[in-house]
Amino acid sequence: MTTIAVLGNGRVGGNLAAALTRAGHEVAVADRAPGAAAEAARAARIVINATPGAGSLERLTALREELRDKILVDVSNATLDGPDGLPADLIYPGSSLAEKLQEALPETHVVKTLNTMLFPVMTAPAMLAQAPSVFLSGDDPQAKQTVRELLVDLGWHAQWITDLGGIQTARATEAAILFVPHVIRSNGFVPFAVSIAR
């Protein structure tokens, strides 16, 4: 059992919190109440960033002390939304939210994952007809191993998990968000994920 704080209680955060609780972890969800995020992060070993990516950097930089020596699992994508509310462009072209977080929080182990799929797939990857892929980006091998174990708890088979390397590789997976609006407009909000076929 691991103590986990989920920052963000929308569809993504709520879905992850429920699934991790079912898997036997002790999970606290921080809402927007003043001080809630700091309190939850302080008590956790792992913190999951499920806040809207556009404001994540500012929100998490304010928690520098609470996040010291913790694993920060970043599942958000920092995007500018179009008129229909779907992602239209990246906020950090040529970089990534994960890299910005690691730079701002040097004593925190940032791991990027679960950001290349619609949110229901995060906790039920077997719902898809084909095997999906999930990626890990991060500079700390031990932190990535811990996150890999969490992914298994969420139903991800080991062969579906690909470690891409250092945190700079997150710019590739974050750029995959640019597929999403086109896929949704074509097929509707049907669960899907990026998949590497071998």
Side-chain angles (χ1 to χ4, degrees):
M1 182 186 76
T2 303
T3 306
I4 300 170
V6 178
L7 308 184
N9 62 348
R11 293 179 300 181
V12 173
N15 187 38
L16 286 168
L20 289 166
T21 299
R22 287 194 301 270
H25 298 286
E26 183 181 330
V27 181
V29 179
D31 57 21
R32 292 184 178 269
E39 185 178 337
R42 193 178 297 115
R45 178 180 171 230
I46 297 171
V47 178
I48 297 176
N49 175 37
T51 66
S56 289
L57 183 59
E58 182 182 1
R59 199 173 287 119
L60 292 168
T61 300
L63 301 175
R64 182 179 286 105
E65 289 306 312
E66 291 83 1
L67 292 170
R68 186 188 302 274
D69 297 324
K70 306 287 176 73
I71 295 172
L72 176 61
V73 182
D74 180 31
V75 304
S76 294
N77 289 304
T79 58
L80 299 168
D81 291 342
D84 57 2
L86 294 174
D89 210 346
L90 301 173
I91 290 178
Y92 306 114
S95 185
S96 64
L97 173 58
E99 289 172 90
K100 298 291 187 184
L101 288 169
Q102 187 63 84
E103 183 181 341
L105 303 165
E107 295 179 86
T108 301
H109 308 297
V110 179
V111 179
K112 188 82 182 191
T113 193
L114 289 173
N115 64 312
T116 55
M117 62 202 69
L118 285 191
F119 79 93
V121 182
M122 294 178 174
T123 58
M127 68 164 42
L128 300 180
Q130 288 88 32
S133 299
V134 65
F135 306 99
L136 293 168
S137 298
D139 292 337
D140 186 276
Q142 189 172 349
K144 284 193 287 188
Q145 179 57 34
T146 299
V147 175
R148 180 186 291 271
E149 291 164 9
L150 280 186
L151 292 173
V152 171
D153 286 347
L154 291 173
W156 289 89
H157 296 295
Q159 63 268 31
W160 298 350
I161 304 170
T162 299
D163 183 344
L164 295 178
I167 199 68
Q168 76 279 1
T169 64
R171 67 183 64 179
T173 61
E174 289 190 26
I177 190 68
L178 298 179
F179 276 105
V180 170
H182 308 298
V183 174
I184 289 174
R185 291 184 194 111
S186 177
N187 299 303
F189 278 92
V190 179
F192 72 90
V194 171
S195 180
I196 303 298
R198 291 186 175 90

